[in-house]
Amino acid sequence: GNSFSADVAFFYNKEFRRNRKKSNMSYGVNISNIGNKISYDKGVQKDFIPTNLRIGAGYGTEIDRYNKIYYTIDFNKLLVPTLIEEEGDEETPTGGISDGRGNTNANMGVIEGMFRSFGDAPGGFQEELQEVTVSLGLEYWYNNQFIVRGGYFHESENKGDRKYMTLGAGLRMNVLSLDFSYIYTISRQSPLENTLRFTLGLDLDNFSKQKGRR
């Protein structure tokens, strides 16, 4: 199958002083995978690709000269309409997807489907809220070099029941950085349970500055 998609994003960050301490507030909105439907059977049935909405905010402030702390939260929702299977007939043996008013996914546009995803859950508004996942994050910095992180991800038990915590730490040097994270699942077994991830980074901008000073 082939499809084409694009992302739309907005990010705002403001630095300010509060109680004589440096602080910053940030907001972000991202809509990803906005694109045409995809088909794996030469166009007999076309399916929505996973268009996704993410809204987040973060706040960071100094505790003192050497210590900083950051808080983050984001909400995530799949912008795909609820799919209701219908039985097919001789002309369309594979059936279709109905929106409850006789309209199938074959004649529902992508933009229409994105807007419809906010109000088409069979269980009403309560089920719509269950389709939103929530992520929380906390990050502590010492002397702009050592970082400790923690996070929590929550998904409704009726929409996948993924619930897990993440723990991590990092070290920043002049040019290199090293980070690791650990995933601990809460609600059910997951292929990512007890996963350790390591990341080695290179700050090219700082590397150029260090090289220029020689």
Side-chain angles (χ1 to χ4, degrees):
N2 297 287
S3 181
F4 174 83
S5 67
D7 299 349
V8 176
F10 169 81
F11 179 77
Y12 174 78
N13 183 70
K14 179 177 178 60
E15 296 184 352
F16 58 94
R17 283 189 173 271
R18 181 179 180 184
N19 298 326
R20 298 182 179 179
K21 297 176 181 178
K22 292 182 180 179
S23 303
N24 73 283
M25 193 76 184
S26 58
Y27 309 89
V29 179
N30 176 268
I31 305 178
S32 59
N33 285 334
I34 306 172
N36 59 307
K37 300 174 187 177
I38 191 168
S39 176
Y40 299 98
D41 53 12
K42 298 182 179 180
V44 176
Q45 179 172 318
K46 296 182 179 181
D47 300 311
F48 289 93
I49 61 176
T51 305
N52 194 77
L53 170 67
R54 184 183 295 272
I55 301 175
Y59 172 73
T61 187
E62 292 180 331
I63 300 174
D64 55 37
R65 180 180 176 183
Y66 297 101
N67 301 278
K68 300 177 182 179
I69 193 166
Y70 293 89
Y71 310 89
T72 60
I73 182 171
D74 73 54
F75 303 92
N76 192 85
K77 187 183 188 307
L78 198 63
L79 300 184
V80 175
T82 299
L83 305 182
I84 304 174
E85 296 285 354
E86 282 191 340
E87 295 182 359
D89 51 30
E90 293 181 359
E91 296 182 358
T92 57
T94 59
I97 307 299
S98 171
D99 65 356
R101 295 183 298 180
N103 297 318
T104 66
N105 69 329
N107 54 28
M108 187 187 300
V110 172
I111 301 301
E112 179 187 359
M114 291 170 59
F115 281 101
R116 192 178 296 277
S117 68
F118 288 100
D120 64 348
F125 181 70
Q126 183 176 359
E127 185 174 347
E128 289 291 346
L129 291 179
Q130 293 177 359
E131 295 180 356
V132 178
T133 63
V134 182
S135 300
L136 304 172
L138 178 65
E139 185 176 78
Y140 163 77
W141 283 67
Y142 175 74
N143 200 27
N144 288 327
Q145 289 185 317
F146 181 69
I147 313 107
V148 178
R149 303 183 182 94
Y152 174 71
F153 177 88
H154 176 86
E155 183 178 58
S156 169
E157 57 271 14
N158 298 321
K159 299 295 179 178
D161 198 26
R162 292 177 297 167
K163 298 181 179 70
Y164 55 84
M165 297 179 62
T166 60
L167 300 173
L171 180 64
R172 295 291 183 272
M173 292 166 277
N174 288 334
V175 176
L176 296 176
S177 63
L178 177 65
D179 294 275
F180 88 90
S181 66
Y182 173 75
I183 297 178
Y184 174 76
T185 57
I186 298 174
S187 58
R188 60 167 59 179
Q189 290 185 346
S190 167
L192 296 179
E193 186 174 12
N194 298 326
T195 298
L196 276 172
R197 294 175 175 172
F198 293 89
T199 303
L200 180 64
L202 175 64
D203 188 337
L204 296 177
D205 184 54
N206 201 14
F207 178 77
S208 298
K209 291 179 181 178
Q210 293 289 335
K211 188 176 179 180
R213 292 172 184 172
R214 295 176 182 177

